[in-house]
Amino acid sequence: MRPPRLLPLLALLTAALLVVGTAGAKSPAPAGAPLQPEAASGRQAKPGWSSRKFAVAAAHPLAVDAGYRMLKEGGSAIDAAVAVQMVLTLVEPQSSGIGGGAFLLHHDGRITEAYDGRETAPGEADENLFLDAQGQPLPFQDALHSGRSVGTPGVLRLLELAHRQHGQLPWARLFEPAITLAEQGFAVSPRLHTLLAQTPELQRDPVAAEHYYDAQGRPWAVGQVLKNPELAAILRRIAAEGSEAFYSGEVAEAIVRKVREHPLQPGRLSLTDLAEYEVTVRPPLCFVYSAAPLTPPKARTRARARDVRICGMPPPSSGTLAVGQILGLLAHTPAARLQPQRSPQGLRPGPQWLHLYAEASRLAFADRAVYVGDPDYVPPPGHSWMSLLDEDYLAQRAQLIASGPRARRMREAPPGVPAGVQQSHAPMAEQPEYGTSHISIVDGQGRALAMTSSIEAAWGARLMVNRGQGLSGGFLLNNQLTDFSFVPRSESGAPIANRVEPRKRPRSSMTPLLVFERPRGEFLLSGGSPGGAYIIHYTGKLLYGVLHWGLDVQQAINLPNVASFGGPVLLEEQSFPAATVRALRQQGHTVREQALTSGLQAIQVRDKGLYGGADPRREGVVRGD
């Protein structure tokens, strides 16, 4: 069924609230840098939002509104997260949804828990999943657009378990906003239109082509009312019956049929994989960090260091470890003494800080390539992931970084060997990594969460599930298995930690974080971002800006983006002066300026209330009372 061409008043009002962006061409990835998950679609200044009781920050105004309504009714942060994610499945389908997975950090005022709803490889998969008949890795795009790339979705099981433990409103109530929007329609946003226009290959899937494009193959225009009756029907079943309605029965059968009957690259997902999927609740990975804030210009003494406790996801997420290593390495350099430069366009890091940050990042990503994988399959070095954050280890690693105005880029950034560790894994080669949407919520009872969810690449595996009962639409499946190393072993036969194995969870860069004051443990901040491997840099920027430079979360989000993975230094285009680029090149860095489309969302405690920030590079907002 084609959506109607006439916009009702509700759709016009909704469209007026959305960010008006300008279409941006896809920026090709520079050599040595991962591809970005989603293209730029314009920029809109965000004011920052103050509230007293509660707040919800997410990637789309309609999703934020759904979460706000749950909090307004006295619901918990988890209740709001369920409502937000269901609406995001509908209105931001390119980024996350019920066909994907998620990491969730939740703090109930006393205890912080890490819920791992990451997708898993099928039980029939093996380490050769992404090798062709000659034993060579498949071309990445061929693997992505296939049934092979689909892992067992985890987000619904995660949310159901968290709701059972921390929810206050009835499960079915949390689905009502998404069901109503799916049945009545919502206005296509500028970002959704832009990404549809830039992904014509989505039309290879007949269900997606019929749902997102007109008869001439053109994406629906901005403001077009788009309904999804198939998704509404599925959500009604899940609301009434729980996640079992997704993991068994007709929905599960439709998922498996879609994956295993792919015309070019059939996948191996089975009904057993869906029925037996389990969420893992892990202890969070927390570390203490001492941040030295900027000294006010007229102050006679330096401001005292501020100790915080930063908590994030442990592996299979690499995000917390990488951010912790970058911050820890910088602490052993002059970085903390370097103030950001001021310009008419705002604050931005100077070339000396950028050099130090890039070098620290290269060292962190070298360790990531060797050590990080699913902890149920890959033991942590030295029997503890904290070995990679050990103070002495980071101090020793930081000696590889040359400092000073004339310091040169190190020739190579090798992986380190923590004390007592015998390295047995080969490093994983860099390959594309995508995805995600981020949600931060603080409820009226002081519970806080940070949740990053994903279907991996923009539009996932480009496979849209429909049960075949005469309703248009459906939901998209993930391509998370492409986060595994396509090559399982080195030429010498040494295994790669992040190789494919049955029921294994692929390594991720998703970095939802909660920050607490020390020593009393008061909650300070929830934050995170989409962006594939770039997530680590975007989230690190947020933390550094708040903890070191004394910025509020909106100011920190507004800072220009920077990234480095081992190759070039990537600077957000039109954000740094030519002198900064020249200085970095004189230090031996290859510098590339390009769009760096973060989607940071954050909420912090400030002035006996809450203050939220949303990324000007995307459509997100914050709302609270």
Side-chain angles (χ1 to χ4, degrees):
M1 178 184 295
R2 296 292 180 188
R5 292 294 181 185
L6 296 177
L7 266 65
L9 178 60
L10 175 62
L12 284 169
L13 292 173
T14 302
L17 292 173
L18 298 174
V19 175
V20 178
T22 55
K26 288 184 179 179
S27 299
L35 294 171
Q36 292 192 82
E38 297 182 17
S41 59
R43 190 177 179 113
Q44 178 73 26
K46 303 294 173 73
W49 293 263
S50 296
S51 58
R52 301 292 294 179
K53 299 176 183 177
F54 57 76
V56 54
H60 194 286
L62 291 174
V64 170
D65 182 66
Y68 172 83
R69 286 153 61 186
M70 300 306 111
L71 296 177
K72 192 77 171 175
E73 292 177 20
S76 68
I78 290 293
D79 292 330
V82 177
V84 168
Q85 182 60 75
M86 294 311 111
V87 173
L88 287 176
T89 301
L90 176 70
V91 303
E92 200 196 26
Q94 74 274 10
S95 299
S96 71
I98 61 174
F103 289 143
L104 168 68
L105 281 174
H106 181 267
H107 181 69
D108 66 1
R110 298 183 304 108
I111 298 172
T112 303
E113 295 174 295
Y115 292 81
D116 181 350
R118 181 73 161 153
E119 297 88 340
T120 55
E124 298 177 20
D126 58 35
E127 64 180 31
N128 300 317
L129 180 67
F130 292 115
L131 301 181
D132 63 19
Q134 289 72 45
Q136 297 301 308
L138 291 172
F140 187 83
Q141 292 300 318
D142 290 353
L144 187 158
H145 300 170
S146 77
R148 289 198 201 191
S149 68
V150 181
T152 309
V155 69
L156 275 170
R157 279 266 166 86
L158 180 155
L159 289 171
E160 185 177 57
L161 175 61
H163 177 264
R164 191 179 303 132
Q165 296 175 344
H166 302 289
Q168 292 183 319
L169 298 177
W171 173 255
R173 170 71 184 108
L174 312 178
F175 288 74
E176 292 176 7
I179 292 170
T180 298
L181 284 168
E183 290 179 337
Q184 297 182 3
F186 70 96
V188 170
S189 74
R191 182 164 182 79
L192 179 57
H193 169 81
T194 296
L195 293 177
L196 284 169
Q198 295 185 356
T199 317
E201 60 269 25
L202 184 60
Q203 297 184 67
R204 297 176 190 169
D205 182 276
V207 179
E210 195 271 344
H211 182 64
Y212 289 117
Y213 300 85
D214 67 16
Q216 288 72 45
R218 295 172 301 202
W220 297 119
V222 174
Q224 172 69 49
V225 174
L226 183 61
K227 300 179 181 180
N228 193 331
E230 170 71 358
L231 180 60
I234 291 171
L235 293 180
R236 282 194 183 280
R237 289 282 303 275
I238 297 169
E241 303 171 23
S243 71
E244 194 62 26
F246 179 89
Y247 289 94
S248 65
E250 61 187 18
V251 177
E253 291 167 3
I255 293 171
V256 171
R257 187 165 57 247
K258 193 78 176 185
V259 169
R260 298 184 79 99
E261 295 180 3
H262 191 278
L264 299 177
Q265 298 284 356
R268 303 179 190 178
L269 191 69
S270 71
L271 290 173
T272 301
D273 294 320
L274 287 160
E276 296 182 355
Y277 180 86
E278 293 184 355
V279 174
T280 299
V281 182
R282 306 183 188 275
L285 182 63
C286 301
F287 60 94
V288 175
Y289 181 64
S290 182
L294 281 179
T295 304
K298 296 183 180 180
R300 295 185 178 181
T301 59
R302 183 169 180 79
R304 292 174 55 190
R306 181 187 194 186
D307 282 357
V308 296
R309 186 169 183 255
I310 299 172
C311 290
M313 290 298 304
S317 172
S318 65
T320 311
L321 281 170
V323 169
Q325 282 198 313
I326 292 169
L327 293 178
L329 289 164
L330 288 176
H332 294 283
T333 74
R337 299 195 297 270
L338 300 174
Q339 299 190 13
Q341 297 177 342
R342 296 185 180 274
S343 74
Q345 292 76 35
L347 293 175
R348 60 208 64 245
Q352 189 178 358
W353 188 92
L354 291 168
H355 161 75
L356 297 172
Y357 179 86
E359 298 291 81
S361 297
R362 293 175 64 205
L363 292 172
F365 273 82
D367 278 1
R368 174 182 182 264
V370 170
Y371 293 113
V372 182
D374 184 339
D376 294 332
Y377 293 74
V378 180
H383 308 290
S384 172
W385 297 112
M386 295 303 292
S387 67
L388 294 170
L389 298 174
D390 178 76
E391 183 76 13
D392 292 338
Y393 173 66
L394 293 178
Q396 172 257 322
R397 294 278 281 159
Q399 292 178 13
L400 298 173
I401 301 174
S403 60
R406 297 183 180 179
R408 298 287 296 176
R409 178 184 187 268
M410 65 181 108
R411 289 179 178 272
E412 295 183 4
V417 182
V421 172
Q422 184 173 0
Q423 186 174 316
S424 60
H425 287 103
M428 175 179 163
E430 191 65 59
Q431 64 186 43
E433 183 179 337
Y434 291 102
T436 74
S437 192
H438 183 78
I439 303 165
S440 284
I441 303 174
V442 179
D443 67 24
Q445 291 75 46
R447 292 174 288 244
L449 66 78
M451 173 173 154
T452 310
S453 62
S454 177
I455 59 168
E456 180 60 357
W459 310 104
R462 277 69 160 177
L463 299 177
M464 196 169 196
V465 174
N466 184 292
R467 297 166 302 158
Q469 298 183 5
L471 300 174
S472 65
F475 62 90
L476 290 157
L477 290 174
N478 69 83
N479 66 294
Q480 296 287 8
L481 300 190
T482 59
D483 273 354
F484 283 118
S485 176
F486 283 25
V487 178
R489 297 173 183 272
S490 69
E491 292 184 1
S492 66
I496 291 172
N498 190 39
R499 69 190 183 280
V500 182
E501 296 179 79
R503 299 289 177 91
K504 188 177 183 179
R505 299 167 195 250
R507 189 187 70 192
S508 171
S509 292
M510 294 191 291
T511 315
L513 292 176
L514 297 176
V515 181
F516 303 90
E517 188 72 81
R518 276 179 46 89
R520 292 184 295 180
E522 298 96 332
F523 167 73
L524 289 179
L525 184 149
S526 167
S529 178
Y534 293 81
I535 290 172
I536 290 164
H537 298 296
Y538 299 154
T539 309
K541 176 194 77 169
L542 170 69
L543 289 181
Y544 208 90
V546 171
L547 298 177
H548 279 277
W549 295 339
L551 306 179
D552 63 47
V553 289
Q554 188 63 64
Q555 292 170 326
I557 290 170
N558 292 345
L559 288 169
N561 286 323
V562 179
S564 180
F565 302 93
V569 177
L570 308 176
L571 301 180
E572 188 169 9
E573 60 188 8
Q574 300 179 359
S575 297
F576 291 89
T580 293
V581 176
R582 285 196 303 271
L584 287 170
R585 287 175 175 160
Q586 289 170 358
Q587 291 180 286
H589 295 282
T590 300
V591 181
R592 305 289 172 84
E593 297 178 86
Q594 65 178 69
L596 293 175
T597 311
S598 55
L600 284 155
Q601 305 285 154
I603 299 170
Q604 68 181 139
V605 175
R606 196 182 73 162
D607 300 331
K608 298 183 180 180
L610 301 171
Y611 187 77
D615 208 309
R617 303 161 185 88
R618 298 205 188 196
E619 295 174 330
V621 297
V622 185
R623 189 177 179 190
D625 280 353

